[in-house]
Amino acid sequence: MPATTTLTARALLLDMDSTIVNSEAVVERCWRRWAAEQELDADEVLKVVHGRQGWATMAALLPDRPKELNLADNRRMLAQETADMDGVVPVPGAPAFMTALATVPHALVTSADVPLSDARMGAAGLPMPAVRITAESVSASKPDPEGFLKGAAELGHAPEDCLVFEDSEAGIEAGRAAGMRVVGVGDRAAAFGPTAQVRDLTQVRVEVLADGTVAVHLTA
């Protein structure tokens, strides 16, 4: 019989890309183009792009490059990604998972901006949470915890009462830095020390208890 881990929380904070929306194909296309422009090894670039805002990834890869160039490239790439929905689909189990959250306090906390998050959630056929923290909402990119702390505050819950769902190193670090427990989603997440890890959202079942506590059952 599969082993089950149960975590309880008052609110859930969800990353978007590779956590509930599979946009890996678009991300790879866009970043391979950028890597070629900068004469960088695309495979090495793709190891660090996940979870951060684009300009922050560029700064990590090219620390001596002027920030203005990174911001300009970030705007250009956001426009490219927003126009490219080829291959964008829900992560397995995401539609049922999001339906189960209808009565649960939850927020989207993404490094994407509003147009890109609108486009990808729409392409994946997923409902947009009423509370959404995007690139426009924060002054610092993940792994800074600002986004998760803002999401918790908007939902009216203490950080320790929130459970984060994330896939990337930067996102998992941000959740931990916010004082939250983190469920890692996907094989990549396992290497970064989440509280618990699942292959995808088919291994997650959400139960709302009588006192309003949310029990999240994770099946290995």
Side-chain angles (χ1 to χ4, degrees), residues 13 16 22-23 31 37 43 64 89-90 92 99 113 119 135 145 154 159 170-173 184 188 192 206 214:
L13 302 176
M16 181 178 71
N22 181 348
S23 55
W31 280 100
E37 292 169 3
D43 290 335
D64 296 326
V89 295
T99 297
D113 62 5
E154 287 206 24
I172 291 169
E173 287 184 6
R188 180 169 56 230
F192 306 125
V206 176
V214 183

Side-chain angles (χ1 to χ4, degrees), residues 62-146:
L62 298 171
D64 296 326
R65 192 173 192 242
K67 186 174 182 179
E68 293 74 18
L69 291 180
N70 293 339
L71 291 172
D73 276 3
N74 187 59
R75 288 190 294 270
R76 175 170 60 91
M77 289 181 69
L78 282 171
Q80 291 173 353
E81 289 185 83
T82 302
D84 184 356
M85 292 296 117
D86 187 19
V88 175
V89 295
V91 166
F97 175 69
M98 296 300 289
T99 297
L101 298 187
T103 62
V104 172
H106 67 287
L108 191 73
V109 181
T110 176
S111 294
D113 62 5
V114 167
L116 182 55
S117 57
D118 278 340
R120 285 187 176 162
M121 292 289 281
L126 299 176
M128 181 65 72
V131 175
R132 170 171 44 162
I133 306 298
T134 63
E136 297 95 334
S137 311
V138 297
S139 60
S141 172
K142 298 172 186 176
D144 191 282
E146 181 185 2

Side-chain angles (χ1 to χ4, degrees), residues 144-170:
D144 191 282
E146 181 185 2
F148 287 124
L149 292 172
K150 281 195 168 184
E154 287 206 24
L155 292 173
H157 290 282
E160 60 267 25
D161 291 330
C162 295
L163 186 62
V164 168
F165 282 74
E166 263 285 1
D167 72 292
S168 70
E169 181 177 18

